[in-house]
Amino acid sequence: MSTEIFTEDFKTDPWWWEWAPRPEPVRTAPLPADVDVLVVGSGFAGLNCARITATAGRDTLVVDAGPAGFGASTRLAGYIGRFLHYSIQKLESKVGKEKAHRLWKESGDAQWVLLDLIEKEQMDVGKLYRGRFTGACSPAHYDAMAANAEYINKNVPFEYSMCPASEQHKEVGTDFWHGGMILHEHGTLHPGLYHQGLMDAAIRAGARIEGRTPVLDIAPEPGGGFTVTTRHHAIHARDVVICTNGYSNTQRSAVPWVRNRIVPVYAHQICTDTISDGLMKDVKPSGRAVLDSKTNIFWDRPTPDDKRIIFGARTGHDDGDLRITAKKLRDLMVMVYPQLAETKISHVWRGVMGFSFDLLPHIGQTRDGVYFATGFCGSGLPLGTYFGQKVGHKLVGNPEGETEWWNHGFPTWPFYNGNPWWLPAYIRWIDFNDRRGSRGHIVRSG
């Protein structure tokens, strides 16, 4: 395969790490033998939970199998906004109209909690608050999108406007979509910088964060609390919180109840080489982040400095070699934006998202009393931040921990053990249906 599409310094690490390198853990003191709160997972949920419990005076330790933030938190696209995979009508049919509206509104509130936290902690996170364009992959998708938005707005008001195909070039420099919807309250940030800011906030509150400390087992103790066995030694913890999301299967014996309810799914992204101001304006005249109306979506956004474009697609696929993935993603990107045909790729990377079987986030406690916040289904930035904060407040008894989402039911499949062997076939089925539904395009997801 030709390497001409790659820059000379091409990397298979996230572009985000150029601005926010992952810190290698340096242990200056032995791990404690006893803690009040032990949080497993150093992503957005785990760190925000630790920030709350440490602020409340609870001795808090965060552990992670890899360097802090090495997983999806510093690999994702950095989208701010509301995002549930259910339509509000489907949620109504599942839990009833009134509860569905409360759940939908609360999931939307997550973005305001995120923005308030950034302001409170004075984080410099490369925020671009320009709204989001959701492209319709067919005229039928556009009509359904408009009808769904109108229904949502009548019940849970939000700021949006429809953009017909005739006006699309004011938003995006492509004819690929058939118009779309503009979500005016949405934005983006630099997830690496945000993770660093959240980690600093948790440490300021008194939490301790230890990377390269995989958890091997969590066992309830007869007198209360838990024995948490790590690779280094056992720790007694009064409370344990699981915030491993898409990486739950890597902690196989720690909390199998959570592991058996989370499906790990790869998400892939590429970053272009630096492009000219004129080309950026041609591709993204509004500067908005983009995603589309397929199930297996395309998404793209400018970097915070407006010098590059990050493009993602082919969720759930595994090519083995990330260079092959980069080529396929670039082909899709050029299909959407032909003017990028001469643009090289500087980075490709992937992370692991955690999907629940009902495509909803989950927060609560197991029968053994282990707290969890997980199943963010590709929306870990706002929802991970929000539910991590909720579980932290709940653990220390603060009224701010009340949520409609607490223990609302967390399904699994018979005999599922955290290994989704059937996922490749399921992804192919989704891609097939996306191709059928995207009339007017040949959408090559694979």
Side-chain angles (χ1 to χ4, degrees):
M1 180 177 61
S2 171
T3 59
E4 291 179 355
I5 65 169
F6 301 128
T7 61
E8 291 184 1
D9 59 348
F10 173 77
K11 297 178 181 178
T12 55
D13 286 329
W15 179 83
W16 310 119
W17 295 0
E18 301 293 328
W19 288 17
R22 291 299 83 213
E24 273 297 329
V26 178
R27 184 163 293 135
T28 58
L31 289 174
D34 297 273
V35 295
D36 289 336
V37 180
L38 191 145
V39 180
V40 185
S42 64
F44 301 141
L47 291 179
N48 209 21
C49 172
R51 183 183 67 88
I52 296 298
T53 58
T55 299
R58 301 286 297 274
D59 181 22
T60 300
L61 172 66
V62 180
V63 296
D64 201 295
F70 192 78
S73 288
T74 61
R75 297 170 182 266
L76 44 69
Y79 279 40
I80 304 170
R82 70 169 69 231
F83 194 78
L84 287 182
H85 284 266
Y86 272 35
S87 68
I88 195 169
Q89 294 95 325
K90 186 174 181 180
L91 199 55
E92 288 174 356
S93 69
K94 181 177 176 64
V95 300
K97 188 170 185 177
E98 290 186 3
K99 184 170 184 177
H101 292 180
R102 292 195 299 269
L103 290 173
W104 190 274
K105 180 182 182 304
E106 191 175 342
S107 70
D109 289 343
Q111 67 179 312
W112 309 123
V113 168
L114 169 66
L115 293 170
D116 287 346
L117 175 60
I118 291 169
E119 182 176 356
K120 175 185 176 183
E121 298 292 342
Q122 298 182 328
M123 299 181 192
D124 179 10
V125 295
K127 186 171 64 175
L128 300 176
Y129 221 71
R130 299 170 175 170
R132 181 191 303 173
F133 178 82
T134 303
C137 291
S138 70
H141 281 205
Y142 180 89
D143 293 341
M145 189 185 297
N148 187 51
E150 183 179 2
Y151 183 82
I152 294 172
N153 195 45
K154 287 180 179 178
N155 295 281
V156 187
F158 69 109
E159 293 186 21
Y160 81 99
S161 59
M162 297 305 298
C163 174
S166 60
E167 301 291 322
Q168 180 171 290
H169 276 216
K170 296 178 181 179
E171 298 296 325
V172 287
T174 180
D175 293 316
F176 185 80
W177 292 294
H178 297 258
M181 177 171 60
I182 303 168
L183 298 166
H184 297 282
E185 298 172 316
H186 290 211
T188 61
L189 53 70
H190 188 303
L193 292 177
Y194 172 62
H195 183 273
Q196 184 64 55
L198 190 54
M199 185 161 56
D200 292 343
I203 292 171
R204 284 196 299 270
R208 178 174 173 180
I209 301 167
E210 292 289 351
R212 299 200 185 281
T213 307
V215 172
L216 306 179
D217 186 60
I218 299 173
E221 296 179 355
F226 301 86
T227 298
V228 180
T229 304
T230 74
R231 185 174 64 184
H232 306 290
H233 68 251
I235 302 170
H236 169 76
R238 175 177 165 185
D239 292 298
V240 174
V241 186
I242 301 298
C243 297
T244 47
N245 201 37
Y247 297 82
S248 297
N249 199 32
T250 65
Q251 310 285 325
R252 291 195 59 80
S253 61
V255 184
W257 189 89
V258 173
R259 178 198 72 205
N260 295 351
R261 286 161 172 77
I262 292 295
V263 179
V265 179
Y266 286 130
H268 310 89
Q269 296 178 90
I270 53 174
C271 183
T272 68
D273 195 6
T274 301
I275 62 178
S276 68
D277 293 345
L279 182 54
M280 177 64 79
K281 192 67 177 177
D282 186 27
V283 173
K284 308 200 73 61
S286 67
R288 301 189 199 278
V290 171
L291 53 77
D292 68 16
S293 61
K294 299 192 304 303
T295 300
N296 200 344
I297 61 173
F298 295 171
W299 68 94
D300 68 81
R301 56 157 295 183
T303 53
D305 58 2
D306 278 320
K307 299 296 185 184
R308 302 167 185 251
I309 291 173
I310 290 174
F311 180 89
R314 305 187 72 254
T315 297
H317 290 271
D318 182 6
D319 302 306
D321 185 345
L322 280 175
R323 286 177 171 261
I324 296 174
T325 299
K327 183 180 184 303
K328 291 183 177 182
L329 289 181
R330 184 182 180 278
D331 288 345
L332 293 174
M333 180 181 72
V334 172
M335 182 174 69
V336 178
Y337 301 110
Q339 57 269 59
L340 294 175
E342 301 301 319
T343 302
K344 293 186 177 183
I345 302 304
S346 65
H347 295 71
V348 63
W349 67 95
R350 71 182 184 185
V352 185
M353 301 182 294
F355 278 77
S356 57
F357 284 100
D358 60 4
L359 298 181
L360 292 172
H362 290 275
I363 179 175
Q365 275 183 289
T366 69
R367 291 180 179 179
D368 289 334
V370 174
Y371 291 87
F372 60 86
T374 191
F376 304 129
C377 302
S379 298
L381 176 56
L383 296 183
T385 298
Y386 181 76
F387 287 115
Q389 183 161 308
K390 283 292 182 181
V391 78
H393 281 304
K394 191 83 168 181
L395 192 155
V396 300
N398 291 337
E400 294 93 332
E402 293 304 312
T403 171
E404 283 285 339
W405 291 93
W406 191 262
N407 278 342
H408 70 84
F410 200 167
T412 185
W413 280 4
F415 309 111
Y416 179 67
N417 67 351
N419 177 27
W421 56 266
W422 38 262
L423 187 61
Y426 180 65
I427 294 297
R428 287 195 296 270
W429 179 78
I430 289 175
D431 291 341
F432 172 73
N433 282 316
D434 279 341
R435 288 192 293 271
R436 290 178 58 197
S438 301
R439 296 183 179 90
H441 294 312
I442 299 176
V443 180
R444 295 175 285 120
S445 297

